[in-house]
Amino acid sequence: MLFEIRSYLNFLKNSQNQHGLHSPFMYDLVTKCFYDRSDHSGYELIKTYRNDLLRNKDLIEIKDFGAGSKVFKSNKRPVFAIAKNAGMTLHRAKLLHRLVNYLKVENALELGTSLGIASAAISANPATQLTTIEGCPATAEIAQRQFEKYQLKVDLKIADFKTVFHETPFQQQKFDLIFIDGNHQQEATIQYFETLLNHIHEDSVLIFDDIHWSVGMENAWAQIKQHPASLQTIDTFKWGMVFFRKQQAQQDFVIRV
């Protein structure tokens, strides 16, 4: 907790809003997407989907492939507690939905479905086809039921990320947006980034969740920013975003959202 507080204070010291952004692309992204206060048609679906999970008192056993939890001491957890403590907040879900809309995302990939709140935010745009991968069968089962209940266009794969990465159909795919919320460890995060570079194009965006979760995640984010392929990056504290737009100047941004 103290580590995250220190990280957040450092983030605030270095962050900015739209003022002083000289990149036209970044200025428009911040003003027309990040700070968009208009109502979006997908918001109600996202809110209802999330509230549905917050009322679910079923107890499930989690299979954790990553760095574990800072909240839960046991792998047996009620669904509502996972949604409340480990699931995406409504504020962030709305932001993710706006990004999908603003960037006109047609093909999206998510690593780490969990209960599917981020999945709902992405696929609430009916023009977006989402592939999401989850290693835990119990959470994947809940998510699949939710996708069917809300008639969301989601291709859920229950498998280890690396297993899917090596499948021939996956190796041929390119994605407009990739959301990474899986194994929160430095080495794994770097490996995901390097693998996913084979599945992006110039207008793609990679979004890494919890980049200030630990020293290891901060180190991973620092390495990702320094990679030659990372042309524009945005640190929003919770997320790290990587763009690959060759027509834009190479630059790092720290933005309050």
Side-chain angles (χ1 to χ4, degrees), residues 180-225:
I180 302 102
D181 183 18
N183 187 331
H184 286 53
Q185 297 183 84
Q186 179 176 345
E187 184 178 351
T189 301
I190 294 297
Q191 289 176 349
Y192 297 156
F193 173 72
E194 292 175 346
T195 298
L196 293 170
L197 288 177
N198 297 316
H199 301 279
I200 56 98
H201 51 77
E202 188 172 334
D203 294 324
S204 297
V205 59
L206 300 188
I207 305 175
F208 291 88
D209 191 45
D210 285 331
I211 58 171
H212 295 285
W213 191 78
S214 65
V215 173
M217 286 300 292
E218 286 196 343
N219 289 341
W221 176 240
Q223 290 182 55
I224 289 168
K225 289 197 299 180

Side-chain angles (χ1 to χ4, degrees), residues 67-112:
S69 171
K70 292 182 178 180
V71 177
F72 299 105
K73 303 302 180 184
S74 168
N75 282 343
K76 291 186 177 180
R77 305 167 190 174
V79 171
F80 76 87
I82 300 172
K84 179 180 178 181
N85 297 295
M88 181 175 285
T89 65
L90 183 59
H91 173 74
R92 284 281 166 173
K94 288 180 176 180
L95 173 57
L96 183 57
H97 181 64
R98 292 199 302 274
L99 278 165
V100 169
N101 292 345
Y102 181 79
L103 297 172
K104 297 179 172 60
V105 172
E106 295 181 1
N107 295 299
L109 171 68
E110 177 186 26
L111 304 187

